[in-house]
Amino acid sequence: MAINKSRPKKPSKLSVYLYIPNIIGYVRVLMNVYAFAICFTNKQLFCILYFISFVCDGIDGWAARKFNQVSTFGAVLDMITDRISTACLLVILSQVYRPGLTFVSLVALDIGSHWLQMYSTFLLGKASHKDVKDSTSWLFRAYYGNRMFMAYCCVACEVLYISLYLLAEKPTEHLMDVLLSLTKEISPFSILVGLSLFGWAIKQVVNVIQMKTAADICVLHDINKKESP
Amino acid sequence: MAINKSRPKKPSKLSVYLYIPNIIGYVRVLMNVYAFAICFTNKQLFCILYFISFVCDGIDGWAARKFNQVSTFGAVLDMITDRISTACLLVILSQVYRPGLTFVSLVALDIGSHWLQMYSTFLLGKASHKDVKDSTSWLFRAYYGNRMFMAYCCVACEVLYISLYLLAEKPTEHLMDMKTAADICVLHDINKKESP
């Protein structure tokens, strides 16, 4: 009697690259490339493309779970696309706003904190950098423990950067002048910017805490290795 | 009879943060921060600081091995400092040179390639992304197999970016000076029509 072992067929490399969420990821990359190519000539179209890319960022995670097509490559593609599109938008802002170093520093903080956090996640063997149950900082736990709050902070950053991009009219703007001009006339737009400033600030503080926590994990990893010979 | 187990004393977290190569790493970070703060007002000083930081990049690896103070944190600090200082220099260049997207694309390529490479290195369990003995691409193996060649390529990138930075005199430069080239074509036709 032949034993019929029904084993799930091993997917080929190409089939993983063609997973639906990964195709959404490629579309995001192409949209971002085109968006940044026209960002100085068509501001409205840039915002539309950037916003659609942001929506796809949420959709591809949902699609991965719905179609059972979760992949490491997809997660990394997602992370890299996020980091680079945010960095490019910050670079655009640094070209327009003075002091330009403000936005250069934000690029450094974004890349540095996410890089360290990913590294430490690997060392700890955690599934995702969003699993931080053993963290001691209350802000950290509030941020990652409450997905709505975290989503608000992430969306707030993007809304703030896009708003600053739209507000810039002259080739060179002074950041504080533009922000102060918003406070003079209270409009729905200025309220939106104010709300997003708050979420943005929380996210940057979390980024800094993240860097310290992740650095500690790297250090402890070596210390524990030396303990057990 | 008491058995005297001489076990190496477990280093504290603070002692790892104070390893000599990691202190060199912090000095690199501070130098870069100051350098980018004055990069528009003092070009020579920026180049000096950037160059010293680059030299320290080699020194801290040597110091880690010499003083037996190799640490994961030090390696990550090194990688992040490299990535961010290169990205910041490319951002400066994108502010000065048109088309600015050239340098924005280079930032994307640098961050993307190193991020993916580090991720895959972890998945494979390799010690460093420079261990690629089983790679099939000849260029890849030539690059990582020959440390002098790799060093040449890395140094070449930094030298090119610093050179472009020093060359820029006007607030906005055209990388290929396309407008001047177009003018030359137009003038060429105009001059040809003058003297048949």
Side-chain angles (χ1 to χ4, degrees), chain B residues 122-166:
Chain B
F122 261 118
L123 291 177
L124 286 174
K126 284 194 182 141
S128 157
H129 76 277
K130 296 169 194 168
D131 301 331
V132 277
K133 291 181 187 60
D134 45 36
S135 170
T136 49
S137 157
W138 67 267
L139 180 60
F140 220 54
R141 273 177 292 148
Y143 180 80
Y144 282 120
N146 191 332
R147 287 303 164 97
M148 291 307 292
F149 182 58
M150 182 174 87
Y152 157 70
C153 292
C154 291
V155 172
C157 277
E158 306 293 331
V159 168
L160 178 66
Y161 299 152
I162 288 287
S163 303
L164 285 172
Y165 162 79
L166 285 171

Side-chain angles (χ1 to χ4, degrees), chain B residues 4-103:
Chain B
N4 206 1
K5 278 192 178 170
S6 60
R7 179 176 299 183
K9 207 173 76 175
K10 193 175 80 164
S12 69
K13 253 186 3 186
L14 183 64
S15 68
V16 176
Y17 281 125
L18 294 179
Y19 276 176
I20 293 167
N22 295 343
I23 292 187
I24 296 175
Y26 307 145
V27 170
R28 278 189 71 206
V29 171
L30 292 173
M31 260 197 292
N32 273 297
V33 168
Y34 183 68
F36 282 104
I38 52 103
C39 66
F40 289 119
T41 52
N42 193 335
K43 288 183 120 174
Q44 286 92 337
L45 183 56
F46 173 85
C47 291
I48 291 170
L49 291 171
Y50 196 85
F51 174 73
I52 295 176
S53 165
F54 193 66
V55 168
C56 287
D57 191 7
I59 287 181
D60 66 4
W62 169 86
R65 285 179 288 275
K66 179 161 170 67
F67 298 114
N68 193 27
Q69 288 185 333
V70 176
S71 63
T72 306
F73 169 70
V76 180
L77 177 64
D78 211 41
M79 168 69 90
I80 294 178
T81 308
D82 289 346
R83 298 279 66 69
I84 293 176
S85 65
T86 300
C88 288
L89 179 55
L90 286 169
V91 166
I92 301 301
L93 291 176
S94 79
Q95 289 186 24
V96 173
Y97 282 95
R98 292 286 165 263
L101 270 178
T102 311
F103 296 100

